């Protein structure tokens, strides 16, 4: 579904990604793990077209999307839940969801998806008229994921959904991620520092160090790998 | 009492005009964090467009209300085209540049437009035809409030209501609010941010043009410099209310208009600006973000 080939991304003259190549197949949950500053968010922003890589190709269903406008990329079927959630603070919960469906015109489908989301997260339904900025961290993460789902994406990019959440809430969010992958057949690219959890839900994983991919394997093999255990799992 | 009411009405009239201009400053600031110094000139161009169109239409002997409406429409279209173009040529290429660059570009644009109109038209004051009729049935209250004042108040109210509906309920309005609250996220949900920015300039410029037509008709003369004076006052009103906040700009404008009106009426017109700017300084000391502004902004 998505393939990055030899992608180099820069911030001004500073290179953040070096020769990134990776592949995500339809229906998979793929995770990208790495330490602070490794370039995980930069990878997602490169895919979404917020930062345009200097070299390489980004193929989505065979089409090179590198250099396309962010709204075109959303229209094609890629949505991102960015790091730090980025809830529109003064828009109500319902309006935040509306914004997720910004490029859609099928009223009926939108309402179906809204109903599905309110079923998934009843708390959002209760709070639908409150400003998004008033929600707790966990609720904001639920809203951020829901907002992305309102676009009915084929590929969902998630940037550290566990950040700042209590273990219980994190578990709940990860359960939902699996559920979305199963029920909606949404392909998922999950960026995490919490490698343990991420590798438990993922099919395959990539390890990013200082802007370079240094390892890739099936998730259970990465979990069993002693280098990974030492570096990322704290074992 | 009658004098007091007269001052209230005159304050509200001034406030309305300031509000029509201040909204453009505050909306643009809210979306791209730029003080658009050329905004006053957009208002001035609106007044000039109306003058030219009204003069031509008057020669054909059209009825006054028709002339007013057609002149206003022409002013709106022309000012909107200028606002749109200014953003395209002077600000968009500088997106992502340090904050000071677009600010300097804006000042340059303001000076350029003033001089352009001065050279293309005239440096002198031009008489502006009376476009708002004074019907006889309003004679009894004419000393307190004239038809022009009433028209200005009415038009402003209608415009504010329409703007509020647009921003609150339409898809475009939601996109504008989303963009001003979190631009990166607006991109990520698929908003075409460039289009939203253009729409913001077009709306702000249209409102300024309406203000330009109304005030020119009220005062009866215009020149290339009116945009600078009105611009500074409206900008003050926007800061007073909390720059970036739409209700703030309206509130700030009325507070400023009433302050000036009372200062002129009870003290002396020489002190009008002293009171206006003292008020600004006081409010900024005690509420640095303005009356309705968010305390966190640190953009200027
Ligand atoms: N806007 C920016 N301008 C300049 N450099 C940046 C910018 N954003 C990120 N960087 C740099 O790019 C590198 C990768 O950053 P990135 O945010 O992608 O890391 P990350 O893996 O997401 O880290 P974290 O786990 O802390 O979120 C870092 O060295 C960072 O300093
Ligand atoms: Mg990151």
């Amino acid at each position: 579904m998505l393939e990055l080939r030899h992608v180099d991304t820069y911030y001004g003259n500073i290179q953040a990604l070096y020769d990134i190549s990776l592949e995500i197949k339809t229906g998979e949950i793929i995770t990208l793990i790495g330490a602070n500053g490794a370039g995980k968010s930069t990878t997602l922003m490169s895919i979404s077209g917020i930062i345009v890589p200097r070299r390489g190709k980004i193929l989505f269903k065979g089409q090179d999307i590198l250099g396309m406008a962010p709204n075109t990329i959303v229209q094609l079927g890629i949505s991102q839940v960015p790091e730090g959630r980025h809830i529109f603070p003064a828009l109500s919960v319902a309006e935040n969801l509306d914004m997720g469906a910004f490029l859609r015109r099928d009223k009926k489908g939108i309402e179906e998806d809204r109903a599905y989301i309110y079923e998934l997260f009843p708390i959002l339904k209760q709070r639908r008229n409150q400003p998004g900025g008033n929600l707790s961290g966990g609720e904001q993460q639920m809203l951020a994921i829901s907002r992305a789902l309102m676009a009915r994406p084929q590929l969902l990019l998630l940037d550290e959904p566990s950040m700042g959440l209590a273990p219980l809430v994190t578990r709940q969010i990860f359960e939902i991620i699996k559920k979305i992958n199963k029920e909606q057949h949404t392909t998922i690219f999950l960026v995490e520092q919490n490698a343990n959890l991420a590798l438990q839900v993922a099919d395959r994983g990539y390890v990013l160090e200082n802007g370079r991919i240094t390892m890739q394997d099936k998730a259970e093999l990465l979990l069993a790998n002693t280098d990974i255990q030492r570096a990322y799992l704290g074992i | 009492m009658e004098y007091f009411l007269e001052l209230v009405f005159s304050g509200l009239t001034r406030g309305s005009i300031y509000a029509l201009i201040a909204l453009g400053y505050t909306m643009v600031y809210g979306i791209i964090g730029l003080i658009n110094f050329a905004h006053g000139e957009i208002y001035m161009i609106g007044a000039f467009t109306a003058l030219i169109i009204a003069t031509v239409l008057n020669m054909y002997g059209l009825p006054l209300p028709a002339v007013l409406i057609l002149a206003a429409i022409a002013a709106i279209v022309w000012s909107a085209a200028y606002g749109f173009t200014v953003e395209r040529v002077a600000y968009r290429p500088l997106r992502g540049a340090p904050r000071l660059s677009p600010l300097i570009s804006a000042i340059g644009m303001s000076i350029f437009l003033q001089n352009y109109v001065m050279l293309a038209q005239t440096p002198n004051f031009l008489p502006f035809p009376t476009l708002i009729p004074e019907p006889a049935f309003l004679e009894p209250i004419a000393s307190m409030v004239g038809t022009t004042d009433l028209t200005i108040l009415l038009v402003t109210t209608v415009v504010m209501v329409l703007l509020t509906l647009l921003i609150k309920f339409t898809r475009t309005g939601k996109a504008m609010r989303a963009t001003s609250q979190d631009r990166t996220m607006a991109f990520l949900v698929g908003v075409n941010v460039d289009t939203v920015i253009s729409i913001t300039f077009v709306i702000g410029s249209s409102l300024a043009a309406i203000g330009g037509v109304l005030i020119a008709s009220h005062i009866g003369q215009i020149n290339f410099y009116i945009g600078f004076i009105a611009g500074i006052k409206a900008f003050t009103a926007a800061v007073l209310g909390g720059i970036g906040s739409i209700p703030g700009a309206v509130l700030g404008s009325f507070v400023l208009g009433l302050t000036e009106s009372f200062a002129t009426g009870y003290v002396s017109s020489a002190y009008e600006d002293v009171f206006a700017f003292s008020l600004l300084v006081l409010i900024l000391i005690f509420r640095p973000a303005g009356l309705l502004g968010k305390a966190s902004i640190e953009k200027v």
Side-chain angles (χ1 to χ4, degrees), chain A residues 71 86 90 95 98 102, chain B residues 171 174 177 181-182 185 190:
Chain A
N71 55 320
H86 285 259
E95 285 174 328
D98 291 342
F102 187 72
Chain B
R171 196 175 113 91
K174 265 184 218 148
R177 283 186 288 151
Q181 288 170 35
D182 190 330
M185 197 58 227

Side-chain angles (χ1 to χ4, degrees), chain B:
Chain B
M1 187 61 195
E2 195 174 299
Y3 185 58
F4 174 79
L5 282 179
E6 185 189 324
L7 293 179
V8 168
F9 275 114
S10 122
L12 291 177
T13 307
R14 272 170 191 263
S16 302
I17 301 293
Y18 292 156
L20 287 170
I21 310 172
L23 281 166
Y25 280 111
T26 221
M27 285 166 70
V28 164
Y29 186 87
I31 298 261
I32 57 172
L34 167 77
I35 311 277
N36 177 15
F37 278 104
H39 187 57
E41 275 59 54
I42 299 294
Y43 148 94
M44 176 266 293
I45 285 169
F48 267 91
T49 311
L51 172 64
I52 293 164
I53 300 294
T55 310
V56 173
L57 292 179
N58 272 334
M59 286 195 304
Y60 286 99
L62 259 69
L64 263 196
V67 174
L68 176 65
I69 288 167
L70 289 173
I73 290 173
I76 288 170
V77 171
W78 204 236
S79 288
Y82 266 90
F84 176 86
T85 311
V86 164
E87 191 271 326
R88 275 300 176 89
V89 304
Y91 308 147
R92 188 169 298 185
L94 295 172
R95 206 157 304 149
R99 299 187 66 83
L100 205 54
S101 314
L103 207 62
I104 291 168
S105 186
I107 294 171
M109 214 58 219
S110 161
I111 296 171
F112 168 77
L113 289 174
Q114 274 180 36
N115 285 280
Y116 162 66
V117 172
M118 181 183 79
L119 294 171
Q121 299 293 327
T122 161
N124 304 316
F125 270 100
L126 292 173
F128 196 93
T130 312
L131 293 179
I132 302 170
E134 297 276 347
F137 69 90
L138 282 172
E139 199 67 33
I141 58 162
S143 67
M144 260 194 308
V145 47
T147 348
T148 313
D149 300 87
L150 283 179
T151 309
I152 290 175
L153 283 173
L154 188 71
V155 169
T156 310
T157 311
V158 171
V159 167
M160 302 286 158
V161 170
L162 290 178
L163 182 69
T164 309
L165 294 177
L166 174 100
I167 287 179
K168 253 198 134 48
F169 297 113
T170 66
R171 196 175 113 91
T172 305
K174 265 184 218 148
M176 289 170 71
R177 283 186 288 151
T179 305
S180 82
Q181 288 170 35
D182 190 330
R183 189 184 317 177
T184 304
M185 197 58 227
F187 271 120
L188 285 176
V189 293
V191 172
N192 186 332
V193 171
D194 282 339
T195 307
V196 168
I197 293 172
S198 287
I199 292 174
T200 307
F201 273 85
V202 163
I203 294 176
S205 304
S206 307
L207 299 179
I210 297 173
V213 177
L214 293 174
I215 195 71
S217 175
H218 186 45
I219 292 180
Q221 57 173 11
I222 60 174
N223 78 346
F224 70 94
Y225 204 58
I226 58 168
F228 181 75
I229 313 271
I232 286 211
K233 287 289 178 66
F235 173 63
T236 305
V239 173
L240 202 61
I243 188 123
S245 155
I246 288 178
V250 176
L251 179 66
S253 298
F254 283 116
V255 169
L256 185 68
L258 288 167
T259 306
E260 286 185 352
S261 175
F262 286 122
T264 312
Y266 288 125
V267 188
S268 147
S269 63
Y271 283 93
E272 171 189 317
D273 293 348
V274 176
F275 275 87
F277 290 106
S278 310
L279 179 72
L280 178 70
V281 170
L282 279 179
I283 288 187
L284 289 185
I285 288 173
F286 292 107
R287 278 196 66 92
L291 293 170
L292 301 182
K294 286 184 213 69
S296 62
I297 55 164
E298 213 285 284
K299 279 184 170 173
V300 196

Side-chain angles (χ1 to χ4, degrees), chain A residues 41 83 159-160:
Chain A
S41 301
E83 182 179 324
D159 197 344
E160 300 202 35

